[in-house]
Amino acid sequence: MDGLKNNEKLINKIEFILNEINKGSFTKDQKKNFINLKKKIKKFSSKKKKIISILNNIFIKKKKYIFSTSNINIKNKNFIKNKIKNLYLSETILIIFIDNVIIYIDKKLYNFIKISQKNNIYKNKYNINKNIFVYLNNCFNKKKIYIKIKKNKNIKKPIYILKINSYYQNNNINMYNIYLKIEENTKLSIIEHIIDEKNNISYINNKILISIKKNSILNYLKIINLNKKSYYLSNNDFFIKKKSILNYYYFILKAKKININSNIFLNEKSKSKLYSLSLINKNDIINNIYTFHLQKKSESYQKHNSLSLKEGIFEFKGLININKKSYKTKAYLNNENLFLNKKTKIKTSPQVKIYNKKSKCKHSSIIKYLNKDQFFYLSIRGLSIKDIYNIISFSFIQKSINFIKNKKLKKIINKIIYKK
Amino acid sequence: MCILNIKNLHVNIKKKKIIKNLNLKIKIGEIHAIMGPNGSGKSSLSLTIAGHKKYKIYKGSIFLKKKNINKYSIDQRAKNGLFVSLQNNIEIPGLNNQNFLYKSFNSIRNYQKKKKINLIKFKKLIKKEMHKLDMSNDFLKRSVNEGFSGGEKKKNDILQILLLKPKLIILDEIDSGLDIDTLKKISIIIKNLKNKKRSFIIITHYQKILNYINPKFIHIFYNGNIIKTSDKKILKKIEEKGYGWFKK
């Protein structure tokens, strides 16, 4: 956010990128979006007012305190109050972001973590999956939020990161840039829950870099539950070091357009398990996952499900890249799509690139739909069309939730989904 | 009082006449059997009563408990006490039996203005009924009809009848693909299900099941209509001479 103070410099940067775009292969729409964004940045006001007192009312009673000293003005105070009260989960350790500012951290967390700000220097030596939104995020954020989890810790309670997008600065663009570093021999679970107000159109650009050091385990659960008009763009990089494990589950419940790009880099004897569920309900979802097996004996397992309730577009691209050095590697990738609507368009491309002979790899894609006979069978047992949609969706969602082996996380996701 | 009254029924599929001027009355508590050669329209009749959109009624009406159900949706017919067991049960991958039966059970109860039952009570109830059919608990976790053997599919139908307690039950070839022991067991359960308020239509090719169940009437179906109605004595003639005898 500091970068926003120097609007002129920022605009210069964007102009520079625009020139690059003109040279490159970007589409007309992308250019238009960029020009619109440039106009919006000019309007971006830096007015900030005190809000901490409101939030103190919620938390001081519980002997907790607010981390941020930033003075911010939240437009809809009641909305945030209610949201926090409704979504507060007692069995978790809470961090609250309002827009891209941390406003609250549970005191208990200071035993395990260090939070600071670091200069945002964009380095991606692998040079893959770069897109316009990553550049844009870097332009907005001169500094990124750096969260370091200390080594040799076993954090039993999940850390619950609640990201509320309320647009306190009359602007509907939110850029998150977070670097999470998990030190050696550490076990923890993180839940990231992203919500916003009902009526505002929001553009959220989320960039997360997670580095998991030796012998550590991360269970990472992400829930995207925005309003029907909102846009969500996310770029996630996971670097998994020797003998470490990543279990990554993400649930795309609601938003107008969603674009998620994830890059996973696996080192020696490291493992990653990815499960996702996308609900297509008058929205467009792009889900790209690139898994890179860099060293030997690494394992990856992925299952990505999508359920189309109403018309929309779902695009899935899953690439597994097995390196020359990464022999004795195992990889599995599956994409399963269920149609409940004829007008939905699905494009799915599971891909594998293997550069050594001593690896095992499977990839598949399934597209299912409920045919007339199945509808008829369920109807003759007294189920209306609405009932059929409900029961099929419930079963499909439940199937995805059952992938979560961590009982606490499972309980929480059930609570969040069925609260809706 | 009639539970089912079919009056001058004419049914088409894509302009092809399937059922021609059919009249049939079934009183409460009666068991009727329908027999006939392949392609005579027996299954088409059951699907028409169920409300399959492919079968279009262009003349006549079907009354279920004095209500004309011609314009009722498929689920409304089921909610009014109709149960149709299909010749080939449809597989629904991804939907487990417990969720399906629980939803079906409660939606019918809800329509009939009865209190909904919670999942714990329902589980107790279903396990009790499954015990009668020698079904294992794994069945509840499996997807509806997916990977079921012929016998398991038929048992599933009977379990649904035990749970949903319909008033009119149409069983289309319930005896196909069953071994002798299972057939006997299912026949006994069907016989026990018969009571003063429940009626059956049994569509079959074989007399074995009818020997166990003892239907009051046996209708011979040919070319989209009933050409003869008789009692159990007719079974001997069918065995000796086949259906060709009726055509003459």
Side-chain angles (χ1 to χ4, degrees):
Chain A
M1 291 306 293
D2 294 350
L4 293 167
K5 287 172 189 172
N6 308 316
N7 279 348
E8 281 180 19
K9 279 185 183 177
L10 215 147
I11 289 160
N12 288 337
K13 263 193 178 181
I14 287 170
E15 270 172 358
F16 170 72
I17 293 164
L18 266 176
N19 289 330
E20 272 199 344
I21 292 163
N22 287 327
K23 289 175 200 167
S25 59
F26 292 98
T27 61
K28 279 183 182 176
D29 288 344
Q30 279 174 326
K31 282 176 200 170
K32 265 185 192 175
N33 285 341
F34 226 92
I35 292 159
N36 287 337
L37 275 169
K38 191 182 145 189
K39 284 174 190 170
K40 275 170 189 166
I41 292 159
K42 279 185 181 173
K43 288 179 190 172
F44 208 99
S45 68
S46 58
K47 287 176 189 173
K48 291 177 180 179
K49 288 180 184 175
K50 279 191 179 180
I51 186 269
I52 289 171
S53 59
I54 311 156
L55 290 152
N56 271 332
N57 287 337
I58 306 168
F59 289 106
I60 280 182
K61 287 170 195 169
K62 291 175 186 169
K63 291 181 183 174
K64 290 169 182 176
Y65 66 92
I66 286 156
F67 168 77
S68 173
T69 50
S70 337
N71 302 324
I72 52 174
N73 173 34
I74 293 170
K75 260 184 179 178
N76 192 347
K77 293 164 194 172
N78 287 331
F79 161 78
I80 286 174
K81 264 189 181 182
N82 291 333
K83 273 288 169 194
I84 294 171
K85 275 179 188 173
N86 288 336
L87 295 171
Y88 183 78
L89 299 166
S90 56
E91 64 270 42
T92 57
I93 304 167
L94 190 65
I95 299 179
I96 299 174
F97 279 79
I98 290 187
D99 296 340
N100 44 5
V101 179
I102 294 180
I103 59 133
Y104 171 76
I105 291 178
D106 198 317
K107 225 177 179 181
K108 291 170 200 165
L109 253 180
Y110 286 100
N111 298 326
F112 315 115
I113 67 168
K114 273 182 184 176
I115 295 186
S116 57
Q117 283 196 319
K118 266 198 169 185
N119 283 335
N120 183 23
I121 304 158
Y122 184 68
K123 276 183 186 174
N124 189 345
K125 64 176 178 180
Y126 298 101
N127 199 23
I128 35 94
N129 212 1
K130 259 187 192 175
N131 63 37
I132 190 167
F133 305 113
V134 178
Y135 283 118
L136 196 63
N137 196 308
N138 283 297
C139 294
F140 269 77
N141 294 298
K142 267 205 164 180
K143 284 186 176 178
K144 59 188 164 194
I145 296 166
Y146 174 65
I147 304 171
K148 187 181 164 186
I149 315 281
K150 292 173 188 173
K151 63 181 174 184
N152 304 322
K153 297 280 179 192
N154 184 1
I155 307 168
K156 284 177 184 168
K157 279 189 178 182
I159 298 171
Y160 182 37
I161 304 172
L162 183 60
K163 288 181 175 174
I164 305 170
N165 298 285
S166 86
Y167 320 108
Y168 61 87
Q169 285 178 316
N170 296 325
N171 194 305
N172 53 2
I173 304 166
N174 266 329
M175 304 276 179
Y176 293 91
N177 193 346
I178 299 169
Y179 175 31
L180 176 70
K181 192 178 177 185
I182 298 160
E183 289 290 359
E184 290 162 27
N185 303 317
T186 296
K187 273 184 191 177
L188 86 153
S189 301
I190 295 175
I191 304 157
E192 189 188 344
H193 189 186
I194 303 144
I195 55 162
D196 65 354
E197 279 186 72
K198 271 185 183 176
N199 301 319
N200 282 339
I201 301 172
S202 56
Y203 301 89
I204 298 160
N205 188 335
N206 200 11
K207 191 182 156 233
I208 296 181
L209 197 153
I210 295 178
S211 161
I212 309 168
K213 297 286 173 190
K214 269 184 188 176
N215 298 321
S216 290
I217 300 172
L218 171 66
N219 296 312
Y220 185 42
L221 171 64
K222 192 176 202 168
I223 304 143
I224 301 151
N225 188 14
L226 299 164
N227 69 47
K228 284 179 184 175
K229 300 168 191 171
S230 294
Y231 293 73
Y232 180 80
L233 315 153
S234 181
N235 286 283
N236 313 306
D237 290 338
F238 298 93
F239 293 90
I240 309 162
K241 291 283 156 66
K242 202 177 171 182
K243 291 180 184 174
S244 285
I245 299 170
L246 166 73
N247 296 317
Y248 179 31
Y249 317 95
Y250 55 102
F251 291 79
I252 304 167
L253 303 180
K254 217 199 272 175
K256 190 185 177 186
K257 287 197 177 184
I258 296 149
N259 186 337
I260 295 185
N261 296 304
S262 304
N263 302 315
I264 295 148
F265 301 94
L266 289 153
N267 284 292
E268 198 183 327
K269 291 179 185 173
S270 60
K271 288 177 189 174
S272 75
K273 282 187 181 178
L274 266 79
Y275 302 96
S276 75
L277 172 71
S278 311
L279 294 186
I280 305 157
N281 194 349
K282 287 184 179 175
N283 54 5
D284 299 349
I285 300 171
I286 298 171
N287 191 1
N288 295 333
I289 296 123
Y290 298 84
T291 310
F292 295 87
H293 290 263
L294 303 174
Q295 286 178 24
K296 62 181 179 181
K297 293 179 183 174
S298 54
E299 289 176 24
S300 70
Y301 184 91
Q302 294 179 47
K303 244 179 150 1
H304 302 281
N305 294 349
S306 83
L307 171 68
S308 89
L309 300 165
K310 286 178 185 169
E311 70 177 293
I313 298 168
F314 179 68
E315 217 179 294
F316 172 80
K317 191 179 177 185
L319 172 73
I320 296 171
N321 190 318
I322 300 175
N323 211 322
K324 268 186 186 177
K325 292 176 191 171
S326 60
Y327 54 87
K328 289 186 182 175
T329 285
K330 286 178 190 170
Y332 176 85
L333 170 67
N334 171 261
N335 170 228
E336 191 177 323
N337 309 289
L338 177 66
F339 276 49
L340 293 179
N341 190 292
K342 285 179 186 175
K343 288 178 182 174
T344 304
K345 288 176 185 174
I346 292 185
K347 187 184 171 187
T348 167
S349 61
Q351 293 173 12
V352 175
K353 286 181 184 175
I354 306 172
Y355 296 101
N356 74 64
K357 288 179 182 175
K358 289 179 182 174
S359 294
K360 282 182 184 175
C361 196
K362 276 183 186 176
H363 68 299
S364 58
S365 191
I366 307 162
I367 297 176
K368 295 178 184 172
Y369 63 96
L370 210 62
N371 61 33
K372 282 177 187 172
D373 289 339
Q374 288 167 326
F375 259 105
F376 178 69
Y377 182 77
L378 296 171
S379 303
I380 56 172
R381 297 293 173 261
L383 299 177
S384 63
I385 292 171
K386 199 182 167 186
D387 287 336
I388 294 170
Y389 275 90
N390 283 344
I391 192 173
I392 294 286
S393 334
F394 172 80
S395 301
F396 200 78
I397 292 168
Q398 207 56 42
K399 193 177 150 190
S400 302
I401 291 173
N402 285 340
F403 290 135
I404 303 174
K405 282 181 185 170
N406 188 317
K407 283 181 186 174
K408 274 182 188 170
L409 292 188
K410 208 170 176 177
K411 249 189 182 180
I412 290 164
I413 183 76
N414 267 319
K415 258 188 192 176
I416 293 169
I417 287 184
Y418 295 111
K419 244 181 204 176
K420 276 186 76 185
Chain B
M1 190 193 154
C2 281
I3 188 153
L4 182 76
N5 189 358
I6 299 173
K7 282 182 183 175
N8 308 322
L9 189 72
H10 293 256
V11 178
N12 276 4
I13 302 178
K14 291 176 187 172
K15 291 179 185 174
K16 192 189 169 190
K17 288 176 183 176
I18 300 293
I19 291 168
K20 300 157 192 169
N21 198 23
L22 176 74
N23 287 290
L24 178 67
K25 275 185 184 178
I26 292 171
K27 287 180 184 170
I28 294 171
E30 283 181 350
I31 298 182
H32 289 232
I34 295 178
M35 298 181 84
N38 292 330
S40 56
K42 304 182 298 291
S43 297
S44 301
L45 174 65
S46 73
L47 293 172
T48 307
I49 298 169
H52 199 296
K53 283 180 185 172
K54 208 169 137 188
Y55 300 87
K56 283 178 181 154
I57 299 171
Y58 75 95
K59 211 175 171 187
S61 9
I62 303 169
F63 292 89
L64 184 71
K65 290 191 277 183
K66 289 185 180 178
K67 288 175 197 165
N68 188 339
I69 58 165
N70 280 18
K71 286 183 181 174
Y72 276 30
S73 65
I74 304 165
D75 62 293
Q76 266 180 318
R77 293 172 197 224
K79 283 166 183 164
N80 275 293
L82 176 69
F83 184 95
V84 178
S85 137
L86 303 176
Q87 202 172 325
N88 300 311
N89 276 341
I90 312 294
E91 295 184 359
I92 303 163
L95 174 62
N96 76 35
N97 270 301
Q98 184 177 290
N99 288 344
F100 162 58
L101 292 174
Y102 181 59
K103 187 86 181 171
S104 171
F105 181 78
N106 270 335
S107 67
I108 289 175
R109 279 183 77 87
N110 191 34
Y111 185 84
Q112 291 168 351
K113 289 174 185 170
K114 288 177 187 170
K115 263 190 180 180
K116 281 186 180 180
I117 280 182
N118 65 34
L119 192 61
I120 300 161
K121 278 186 183 174
F122 179 76
K123 273 185 183 174
K124 276 184 190 172
L125 184 73
I126 198 169
K127 279 178 185 170
K128 198 177 148 191
E129 304 295 3
M130 277 164 64
H131 184 69
K132 289 179 190 168
L133 292 161
D134 286 340
M135 292 168 97
S136 69
N137 288 348
D138 286 354
F139 164 81
L140 292 175
K141 287 175 190 170
R142 290 167 68 183
S143 294
V144 179
N145 294 327
E146 195 185 30
F148 282 24
S149 66
E152 280 177 322
K153 282 181 182 174
K154 301 297 175 190
K155 274 185 179 179
N156 192 10
D157 279 340
I158 301 296
L159 177 70
Q160 288 167 9
I161 296 170
L162 290 167
L163 281 170
L164 306 175
K165 291 175 182 157
K167 295 281 156 53
L168 174 64
I169 299 159
I170 302 173
L171 301 173
D172 193 354
E173 294 192 19
I174 191 85
D175 49 355
S176 69
L178 296 183
D179 60 61
I180 297 166
D181 293 335
T182 319
L183 177 66
K184 200 174 174 182
K185 200 166 212 175
I186 284 178
S187 305
I188 292 164
I189 291 167
I190 293 170
K191 207 176 172 184
N192 292 336
L193 278 168
K194 187 202 159 191
N195 61 30
K196 284 179 185 175
K197 289 179 182 175
R198 189 172 288 145
S199 311
F200 285 86
I201 297 176
I202 294 161
I203 298 169
T204 183
H205 283 293
Y206 310 104
Q207 49 174 298
K208 244 176 201 170
I209 191 168
L210 303 179
N211 286 335
Y212 290 120
I213 294 169
N214 283 327
K216 194 175 181 183
F217 297 104
I218 297 172
H219 307 284
I220 307 298
F221 218 81
Y222 181 72
N223 201 15
N225 206 341
I226 292 168
I227 53 168
K228 190 164 181 68
T229 300
S230 182
D231 56 9
K232 224 181 150 185
K233 288 171 193 169
I234 206 169
L235 292 172
K236 267 192 178 180
K237 275 190 180 177
I238 294 169
E239 190 145 295
E240 285 168 12
K241 298 178 179 178
Y243 296 111
W245 177 74
F246 298 103
K247 292 172 200 171
K248 289 167 193 173

